[in-house]
Amino acid sequence: MLALRLTRGARPAVQLRRLLVAAASAGTGFLLLCALGHALGRPGAPPDSLLRLVWCAAPLAATVYFAVAVARADPGAGPRPGLSALGLGPVRMMAVSATATALTCALGSVTALLVFLHLRGDLTGTPFDGSGTDFLAVGRPLPLPATLTLLTLVPGSASVAVAVALRPREPAGSPSRSGRTAYGRFGAYRATAVRETFGAYGRFGRHLEPAARGRRPSAARQRTPEEARAHLQAQTQTQTQTQQDRLSTGPSEQDPERTPGPDGTASGLRPAAAVPASGSGSGSGTAPSGLPWGIAVLAVGLAAGAYASRTGVGAVPGERPGALAGPVLAAVGLALAGPGLTHLCGRLLQSVRPGALRLLAGRLLMTEATRIGRPLGVVCAVLSGAYALGSLYYTGGRPAGPLALLGVLLVIGCTVATLLTAAVEARQAHAGTTAALLRLGAPSSTPRRAAALRAGALLALFGPLTVIVAHLSGLSPAP
């Protein structure tokens, strides 16, 4: 009920994205039902039906990927300040998002079932009459268990993927589980992961304060009010003089930082240059680590495609597994290298005496390299893979069927919509930065110009790369 209320009260843009998820789910469900109908219509050709079902994995993965992106970009999916007290913490909000995604995909699956039954003539009594409609299995009853299993495949996969993607994670600065204090039964001593060596407390009883042992501090140790006031003034003067000395000296002339020694005292010294700067380990300073792996997989895919083109045998996909493995590996390599290439694009954009606009666009690209680069790499992989597979299997005037066109449109549409959703999410994440720039007096056209510059830089890098990879992956086999 809560998921339905949150879905109904969402913004129009969020509702539009959910309708797109439902449409993608309907298309994928229709392809799955067509694979079932082909198996029913041709019981003597199980390999062909199995191949059709396997090809439905690409639209299914694209639909799930799009559903996860839409759920992550939903403003109502994140934790809210006042909902934790009502029992709607991060885990409950994750469950609500997964339920809303399952309902959206279930709506698309029901729509696919209605369209499939309408084309079969089960609803109107008049089946669709046309060439190439053997996948409808007109006149044969649909098995209910198989139909329900295929229809629940998209909602179940999407809801599980959303639950895994939006699961609550511990912050990076939180203590690890091994370093936490573990307590045993009531009245027992605590057990820590780090064992203390003998003599760490000094002599027996030295760590106990006099008040803790039931003694009152002696009169000789008590200070008069005048002595306490004078001691406080001396400490204040010492701190003021230290701050003035630090301000007067340069950073290179300051004292080195002291680190605790083995006995807990400040005996160990470490130079100030060895201290890592704050934020150097995250954000735009760290490049994604998938670029070398992506380049390696891309090279292996291109090599496999080139080898298959030189030793091409046969004309069907089953007789050329190397020709099929080449474009697939090349597409996977492009998807892996997307974040790293985006980070490199941002670094190149702000090189060679950049201005304020280039600096802003480049830093945003480096910061959002993973968020923007991963769906952008997937889009390039899908485009290059579609061109390569089309040039390999639909040559010589061989037309593509309506189901193949529907599957290609589904995959390309879902990946492009995922990229646009990631761009919207990045803009929402940097709304505070944009507002701060406008408050500082920057022109109102600066964010739009920076966005256009980022889009142009990404297009200039990924466009030719996609064309080159698609051409090399789709080389025709030698006669």
Side-chain angles (χ1 to χ4, degrees), residues 265-348:
T265 60
S267 59
L269 296 179
R270 183 175 58 170
V275 182
S278 60
S280 61
S282 60
S284 60
T286 304
S289 59
L291 182 59
W293 292 101
I295 294 176
V297 176
L298 177 61
V300 171
L302 294 179
Y307 179 78
S309 65
R310 294 184 60 183
T311 61
V313 188
V316 296
E319 298 179 358
R320 287 186 294 166
L324 178 61
V328 171
L329 288 177
V332 172
L334 270 180
L336 290 177
L341 291 177
T342 305
H343 189 276
L344 179 62
C345 183
R347 187 175 292 276
L348 293 177

Side-chain angles (χ1 to χ4, degrees), residues 232-464:
L232 181 60
Q233 292 178 359
Q235 287 183 347
T236 306
Q237 293 177 0
T238 303
Q239 294 177 359
T240 305
Q241 185 65 25
T242 304
Q243 292 178 0
Q244 292 178 358
D245 293 343
R246 290 180 179 178
L247 292 176
S248 60
T249 58
S252 60
E253 301 177 1
Q254 293 182 3
D255 296 336
E257 294 190 0
R258 295 182 177 268
T259 56
D263 55 349
T265 60
S267 59
L269 296 179
R270 183 175 58 170
V275 182
S278 60
S280 61
S282 60
S284 60
T286 304
S289 59
L291 182 59
W293 292 101
I295 294 176
V297 176
L298 177 61
V300 171
L302 294 179
Y307 179 78
S309 65
R310 294 184 60 183
T311 61
V313 188
V316 296
E319 298 179 358
R320 287 186 294 166
L324 178 61
V328 171
L329 288 177
V332 172
L334 270 180
L336 290 177
L341 291 177
T342 305
H343 189 276
L344 179 62
C345 183
R347 187 175 292 276
L348 293 177
L349 190 60
Q350 56 182 340
S351 60
V352 191
R353 303 179 63 182
L357 188 63
R358 287 172 55 194
L359 273 177
L360 178 61
R363 296 299 289 183
L364 286 178
L365 270 183
M366 293 174 65
T367 304
E368 301 295 335
T370 303
R371 183 179 296 176
I372 298 295
R374 184 176 290 118
L376 182 58
V378 171
V379 169
C380 296
V382 166
L383 293 178
S384 63
Y387 176 81
L389 294 178
S391 61
L392 285 174
Y393 302 131
Y394 296 101
T395 57
R398 180 184 178 185
L403 297 182
L405 293 178
L406 177 60
V408 171
L409 290 179
L410 268 176
V411 174
I412 295 178
C414 288
T415 51
V416 172
T418 303
L419 177 60
L420 297 178
T421 305
V424 172
E425 184 183 1
R427 188 184 65 178
Q428 294 175 356
H430 292 281
T433 304
T434 305
L437 287 175
L438 296 180
R439 286 196 304 266
L440 290 175
S444 58
S445 61
T446 299
R448 294 190 296 270
R449 292 170 59 192
L453 184 59
R454 293 196 302 271
L458 291 176
L459 184 61
L461 178 63
F462 282 90

Side-chain angles (χ1 to χ4, degrees), residues 129-222:
D129 189 12
S131 60
T133 58
D134 53 344
F135 56 86
L136 295 177
V138 179
R140 295 179 179 270
L142 290 177
L144 183 60
T147 304
L148 293 180
T149 301
L150 293 178
L151 289 179
T152 56
L153 191 59
V154 179
S157 303
S159 60
V160 170
V162 168
V164 172
L166 300 183
R167 70 186 185 275
R169 299 177 177 87
E170 294 184 358
S174 60
S176 60
R177 297 183 181 272
S178 60
R180 294 178 181 176
T181 303
Y183 293 92
R185 64 185 185 276
F186 177 75
Y189 291 99
R190 65 176 182 176
T192 56
V194 181
R195 296 184 178 273
E196 296 173 350
T197 59
F198 178 76
Y201 283 90
R203 294 184 179 273
F204 178 74
R206 285 285 299 273
H207 62 283
L208 299 177
E209 294 293 337
R213 290 181 290 184
R215 305 177 186 176
R216 298 185 61 184
S218 59
R221 295 183 180 178
Q222 294 182 355

Side-chain angles (χ1 to χ4, degrees), residues 218-230:
S218 59
R221 295 183 180 178
Q222 294 182 355
R223 297 177 179 176
T224 60
E226 292 78 7
E227 293 177 354
R229 191 179 301 109

